[in-house]
PDB file of all heavy atoms in Angstrom:
ATOM      1  N   THR X 256     255.675 174.648 127.393  1.00 97.00           N
ATOM      2  CA  THR X 256     256.649 173.729 126.779  1.00 97.00           C
ATOM      3  C   THR X 256     257.548 173.131 127.853  1.00 97.00           C
ATOM      4  O   THR X 256     258.293 173.824 128.537  1.00 97.00           O
ATOM      5  CB  THR X 256     257.507 174.365 125.678  1.00 97.00           C
ATOM      6  OG1 THR X 256     256.661 174.705 124.570  1.00 97.00           O
ATOM      7  CG2 THR X 256     258.571 173.408 125.167  1.00 97.00           C
ATOM      8  N   HIS X 257     257.388 171.825 128.001  1.00 98.00           N
ATOM      9  CA  HIS X 257     258.223 171.063 128.926  1.00 98.00           C
ATOM     10  C   HIS X 257     259.533 170.663 128.240  1.00 98.00           C
ATOM     11  O   HIS X 257     259.566 170.416 127.030  1.00 98.00           O
ATOM     12  CB  HIS X 257     257.516 169.777 129.362  1.00 98.00           C
ATOM     13  CG  HIS X 257     256.336 169.984 130.251  1.00 98.00           C
ATOM     14  ND1 HIS X 257     256.034 171.182 130.855  1.00 98.00           N
ATOM     15  CD2 HIS X 257     255.370 169.098 130.661  1.00 98.00           C
ATOM     16  CE1 HIS X 257     254.938 171.046 131.588  1.00 98.00           C
ATOM     17  NE2 HIS X 257     254.523 169.795 131.480  1.00 98.00           N
ATOM     18  N   SER X 258     260.590 170.574 129.029  1.00 98.00           N
ATOM     19  CA  SER X 258     261.886 170.081 128.562  1.00 98.00           C
ATOM     20  C   SER X 258     262.338 168.949 129.474  1.00 98.00           C
ATOM     21  O   SER X 258     261.941 168.889 130.642  1.00 98.00           O
ATOM     22  CB  SER X 258     262.933 171.198 128.576  1.00 98.00           C
ATOM     23  OG  SER X 258     262.504 172.314 127.821  1.00 98.00           O
ATOM     24  N   LEU X 259     263.165 168.070 128.943  1.00 98.00           N
ATOM     25  CA  LEU X 259     263.704 166.974 129.740  1.00 98.00           C
ATOM     26  C   LEU X 259     265.151 166.706 129.351  1.00 98.00           C
ATOM     27  O   LEU X 259     265.499 166.740 128.165  1.00 98.00           O
ATOM     28  CB  LEU X 259     262.900 165.681 129.548  1.00 98.00           C
ATOM     29  CG  LEU X 259     261.449 165.682 129.993  1.00 98.00           C
ATOM     30  CD1 LEU X 259     260.529 165.962 128.809  1.00 98.00           C
ATOM     31  CD2 LEU X 259     261.071 164.342 130.636  1.00 98.00           C
ATOM     32  N   ALA X 260     265.972 166.452 130.350  1.00 98.00           N
ATOM     33  CA  ALA X 260     267.308 165.907 130.143  1.00 98.00           C
ATOM     34  C   ALA X 260     267.226 164.409 130.416  1.00 98.00           C
ATOM     35  O   ALA X 260     266.786 163.999 131.495  1.00 98.00           O
ATOM     36  CB  ALA X 260     268.312 166.574 131.065  1.00 98.00           C
ATOM     37  N   VAL X 261     267.604 163.613 129.435  1.00 98.00           N
ATOM     38  CA  VAL X 261     267.396 162.167 129.502  1.00 98.00           C
ATOM     39  C   VAL X 261     268.725 161.439 129.402  1.00 98.00           C
ATOM     40  O   VAL X 261     269.532 161.705 128.503  1.00 98.00           O
ATOM     41  CB  VAL X 261     266.467 161.705 128.348  1.00 98.00           C
ATOM     42  CG1 VAL X 261     266.303 160.184 128.371  1.00 98.00           C
ATOM     43  CG2 VAL X 261     265.115 162.395 128.441  1.00 98.00           C
ATOM     44  N   HIS X 262     268.950 160.524 130.339  1.00 98.00           N
ATOM     45  CA  HIS X 262     270.048 159.566 130.255  1.00 98.00           C
ATOM     46  C   HIS X 262     269.420 158.201 130.086  1.00 98.00           C
ATOM     47  O   HIS X 262     268.705 157.710 130.966  1.00 98.00           O
ATOM     48  CB  HIS X 262     270.907 159.599 131.518  1.00 98.00           C
ATOM     49  CG  HIS X 262     271.976 158.534 131.549  1.00 98.00           C
ATOM     50  ND1 HIS X 262     273.094 158.575 130.746  1.00 98.00           N
ATOM     51  CD2 HIS X 262     272.071 157.386 132.283  1.00 98.00           C
ATOM     52  CE1 HIS X 262     273.845 157.515 130.995  1.00 98.00           C
ATOM     53  NE2 HIS X 262     273.248 156.781 131.917  1.00 98.00           N
ATOM     54  N   ALA X 263     269.627 157.593 128.917  1.00 98.00           N
ATOM     55  CA  ALA X 263     269.016 156.308 128.585  1.00 98.00           C
ATOM     56  C   ALA X 263     270.093 155.251 128.417  1.00 98.00           C
ATOM     57  O   ALA X 263     271.096 155.477 127.735  1.00 98.00           O
ATOM     58  CB  ALA X 263     268.198 156.429 127.298  1.00 98.00           C
ATOM     59  N   VAL X 264     269.876 154.100 129.022  1.00 98.00           N
ATOM     60  CA  VAL X 264     270.796 152.970 128.898  1.00 98.00           C
ATOM     61  C   VAL X 264     270.079 151.842 128.159  1.00 98.00           C
ATOM     62  O   VAL X 264     268.935 151.501 128.485  1.00 98.00           O
ATOM     63  CB  VAL X 264     271.274 152.487 130.280  1.00 98.00           C
ATOM     64  CG1 VAL X 264     272.225 151.296 130.121  1.00 98.00           C
ATOM     65  CG2 VAL X 264     271.957 153.611 131.036  1.00 98.00           C
ATOM     66  N   PHE X 265     270.763 151.264 127.181  1.00 98.00           N
ATOM     67  CA  PHE X 265     270.151 150.283 126.293  1.00 98.00           C
ATOM     68  C   PHE X 265     270.819 148.917 126.416  1.00 98.00           C
ATOM     69  O   PHE X 265     271.855 148.771 127.078  1.00 98.00           O
ATOM     70  CB  PHE X 265     270.227 150.780 124.847  1.00 98.00           C
ATOM     71  CG  PHE X 265     269.516 152.091 124.621  1.00 98.00           C
ATOM     72  CD1 PHE X 265     270.200 153.293 124.760  1.00 98.00           C
ATOM     73  CD2 PHE X 265     268.173 152.118 124.294  1.00 98.00           C
ATOM     74  CE1 PHE X 265     269.547 154.505 124.561  1.00 98.00           C
ATOM     75  CE2 PHE X 265     267.515 153.318 124.094  1.00 98.00           C
ATOM     76  CZ  PHE X 265     268.197 154.515 124.231  1.00 98.00           C
ATOM     77  N   GLU X 266     270.243 147.934 125.754  1.00 98.00           N
ATOM     78  CA  GLU X 266     270.807 146.590 125.748  1.00 98.00           C
ATOM     79  C   GLU X 266     272.015 146.494 124.828  1.00 98.00           C
ATOM     80  O   GLU X 266     272.917 145.688 125.060  1.00 98.00           O
ATOM     81  CB  GLU X 266     269.742 145.585 125.288  1.00 98.00           C
ATOM     82  CG  GLU X 266     268.564 145.452 126.231  1.00 98.00           C
ATOM     83  CD  GLU X 266     267.455 144.582 125.664  1.00 98.00           C
ATOM     84  OE1 GLU X 266     267.586 144.182 124.488  1.00 98.00           O
ATOM     85  OE2 GLU X 266     266.472 144.328 126.378  1.00 98.00           O
ATOM     86  N   ARG X 267     272.022 147.326 123.783  1.00 98.00           N
ATOM     87  CA  ARG X 267     273.096 147.248 122.797  1.00 98.00           C
ATOM     88  C   ARG X 267     273.926 148.526 122.796  1.00 98.00           C
ATOM     89  O   ARG X 267     273.474 149.589 123.237  1.00 98.00           O
ATOM     90  CB  ARG X 267     272.489 147.017 121.394  1.00 98.00           C
ATOM     91  CG  ARG X 267     271.876 145.634 121.232  1.00 98.00           C
ATOM     92  CD  ARG X 267     271.308 145.421 119.851  1.00 98.00           C
ATOM     93  NE  ARG X 267     270.028 146.089 119.665  1.00 98.00           N
ATOM     94  CZ  ARG X 267     268.869 145.627 120.120  1.00 98.00           C
ATOM     95  NH1 ARG X 267     268.825 144.505 120.824  1.00 98.00           N
ATOM     96  NH2 ARG X 267     267.750 146.274 119.883  1.00 98.00           N
ATOM     97  N   GLU X 268     275.123 148.402 122.272  1.00 98.00           N
ATOM     98  CA  GLU X 268     276.007 149.562 122.195  1.00 98.00           C
ATOM     99  C   GLU X 268     275.410 150.602 121.248  1.00 98.00           C
ATOM    100  O   GLU X 268     274.847 150.269 120.204  1.00 98.00           O
ATOM    101  CB  GLU X 268     277.383 149.114 121.698  1.00 98.00           C
ATOM    102  CG  GLU X 268     278.429 150.207 121.731  1.00 98.00           C
ATOM    103  CD  GLU X 268     279.818 149.672 121.449  1.00 98.00           C
ATOM    104  OE1 GLU X 268     280.134 148.564 121.942  1.00 98.00           O
ATOM    105  OE2 GLU X 268     280.582 150.364 120.746  1.00 98.00           O
ATOM    106  N   THR X 269     275.541 151.847 121.634  1.00 98.00           N
ATOM    107  CA  THR X 269     274.958 152.935 120.848  1.00 98.00           C
ATOM    108  C   THR X 269     276.025 153.643 120.022  1.00 98.00           C
ATOM    109  O   THR X 269     277.231 153.470 120.243  1.00 98.00           O
ATOM    110  CB  THR X 269     274.276 153.960 121.768  1.00 98.00           C
ATOM    111  OG1 THR X 269     275.263 154.575 122.613  1.00 98.00           O
ATOM    112  CG2 THR X 269     273.210 153.313 122.621  1.00 98.00           C
ATOM    113  N   ASP X 270     275.555 154.457 119.081  1.00 98.00           N
ATOM    114  CA  ASP X 270     276.436 155.260 118.245  1.00 98.00           C
ATOM    115  C   ASP X 270     275.789 156.641 118.087  1.00 98.00           C
ATOM    116  O   ASP X 270     274.606 156.733 117.728  1.00 98.00           O
ATOM    117  CB  ASP X 270     276.629 154.595 116.880  1.00 98.00           C
ATOM    118  CG  ASP X 270     277.489 155.440 115.953  1.00 98.00           C
ATOM    119  OD1 ASP X 270     278.722 155.352 116.057  1.00 98.00           O
ATOM    120  OD2 ASP X 270     276.904 156.198 115.143  1.00 98.00           O
ATOM    121  N   GLN X 271     276.555 157.687 118.347  1.00 98.00           N
ATOM    122  CA  GLN X 271     275.988 159.027 118.326  1.00 98.00           C
ATOM    123  C   GLN X 271     275.368 159.369 116.973  1.00 98.00           C
ATOM    124  O   GLN X 271     274.219 159.817 116.894  1.00 98.00           O
ATOM    125  CB  GLN X 271     277.055 160.066 118.678  1.00 98.00           C
ATOM    126  CG  GLN X 271     276.523 161.495 118.675  1.00 98.00           C
ATOM    127  CD  GLN X 271     277.615 162.539 118.701  1.00 98.00           C
ATOM    128  OE1 GLN X 271     278.722 162.293 118.214  1.00 98.00           O
ATOM    129  NE2 GLN X 271     277.316 163.706 119.264  1.00 98.00           N
ATOM    130  N   ARG X 272     276.111 159.175 115.902  1.00 98.00           N
ATOM    131  CA  ARG X 272     275.615 159.562 114.581  1.00 98.00           C
ATOM    132  C   ARG X 272     274.406 158.733 114.176  1.00 98.00           C
ATOM    133  O   ARG X 272     273.443 159.245 113.590  1.00 98.00           O
ATOM    134  CB  ARG X 272     276.727 159.419 113.531  1.00 98.00           C
ATOM    135  CG  ARG X 272     277.932 160.314 113.780  1.00 98.00           C
ATOM    136  CD  ARG X 272     277.540 161.778 113.817  1.00 98.00           C
ATOM    137  NE  ARG X 272     278.688 162.664 114.024  1.00 98.00           N
ATOM    138  CZ  ARG X 272     278.595 163.944 114.356  1.00 98.00           C
ATOM    139  NH1 ARG X 272     277.389 164.497 114.515  1.00 98.00           N
ATOM    140  NH2 ARG X 272     279.677 164.671 114.530  1.00 98.00           N
ATOM    141  N   GLU X 273     274.448 157.453 114.466  1.00 98.00           N
ATOM    142  CA  GLU X 273     273.307 156.608 114.141  1.00 98.00           C
ATOM    143  C   GLU X 273     272.072 157.036 114.937  1.00 98.00           C
ATOM    144  O   GLU X 273     270.957 157.107 114.398  1.00 98.00           O
ATOM    145  CB  GLU X 273     273.627 155.143 114.441  1.00 98.00           C
ATOM    146  CG  GLU X 273     272.478 154.192 114.084  1.00 98.00           C
ATOM    147  CD  GLU X 273     272.785 152.760 114.459  1.00 98.00           C
ATOM    148  OE1 GLU X 273     273.139 152.496 115.622  1.00 98.00           O
ATOM    149  OE2 GLU X 273     272.641 151.899 113.568  1.00 98.00           O
ATOM    150  N   ALA X 274     272.273 157.329 116.223  1.00 98.00           N
ATOM    151  CA  ALA X 274     271.151 157.772 117.055  1.00 98.00           C
ATOM    152  C   ALA X 274     270.568 159.075 116.524  1.00 98.00           C
ATOM    153  O   ALA X 274     269.337 159.246 116.477  1.00 98.00           O
ATOM    154  CB  ALA X 274     271.614 157.942 118.503  1.00 98.00           C
ATOM    155  N   GLN X 275     271.415 159.997 116.116  1.00 98.00           N
ATOM    156  CA  GLN X 275     270.921 161.247 115.536  1.00 98.00           C
ATOM    157  C   GLN X 275     270.110 160.977 114.265  1.00 98.00           C
ATOM    158  O   GLN X 275     269.055 161.581 114.053  1.00 98.00           O
ATOM    159  CB  GLN X 275     272.090 162.182 115.241  1.00 98.00           C
ATOM    160  CG  GLN X 275     272.733 162.767 116.491  1.00 98.00           C
ATOM    161  CD  GLN X 275     274.022 163.501 116.192  1.00 98.00           C
ATOM    162  OE1 GLN X 275     274.823 163.048 115.362  1.00 98.00           O
ATOM    163  NE2 GLN X 275     274.248 164.621 116.854  1.00 98.00           N
ATOM    164  N   ALA X 276     270.584 160.069 113.439  1.00 98.00           N
ATOM    165  CA  ALA X 276     269.869 159.738 112.208  1.00 98.00           C
ATOM    166  C   ALA X 276     268.527 159.074 112.511  1.00 98.00           C
ATOM    167  O   ALA X 276     267.515 159.359 111.847  1.00 98.00           O
ATOM    168  CB  ALA X 276     270.724 158.825 111.337  1.00 98.00           C
ATOM    169  N   LEU X 277     268.499 158.199 113.512  1.00 98.00           N
ATOM    170  CA  LEU X 277     267.245 157.560 113.909  1.00 98.00           C
ATOM    171  C   LEU X 277     266.226 158.603 114.354  1.00 98.00           C
ATOM    172  O   LEU X 277     265.046 158.552 113.975  1.00 98.00           O
ATOM    173  CB  LEU X 277     267.494 156.563 115.039  1.00 98.00           C
ATOM    174  CG  LEU X 277     268.215 155.262 114.681  1.00 98.00           C
ATOM    175  CD1 LEU X 277     268.628 154.529 115.949  1.00 98.00           C
ATOM    176  CD2 LEU X 277     267.303 154.374 113.830  1.00 98.00           C
ATOM    177  N   LEU X 278     266.676 159.546 115.157  1.00 98.00           N
ATOM    178  CA  LEU X 278     265.777 160.579 115.665  1.00 98.00           C
ATOM    179  C   LEU X 278     265.317 161.503 114.539  1.00 98.00           C
ATOM    180  O   LEU X 278     264.146 161.892 114.479  1.00 98.00           O
ATOM    181  CB  LEU X 278     266.458 161.375 116.774  1.00 98.00           C
ATOM    182  CG  LEU X 278     266.702 160.591 118.071  1.00 98.00           C
ATOM    183  CD1 LEU X 278     267.682 161.324 118.971  1.00 98.00           C
ATOM    184  CD2 LEU X 278     265.380 160.339 118.788  1.00 98.00           C
TER     185      LEU X 278
END
Side-chain angles (χ1 to χ4, degrees):
T256 294
H257 290 348
S258 305
L259 296 97
V261 177
H262 174 72
V264 179
F265 300 91
E266 295 173 354
R267 291 181 283 282
E268 187 171 321
T269 64
D270 177 83
Q271 180 193 28
R272 298 301 181 194
E273 182 183 53
Q275 289 170 320
L277 288 168
L278 291 165

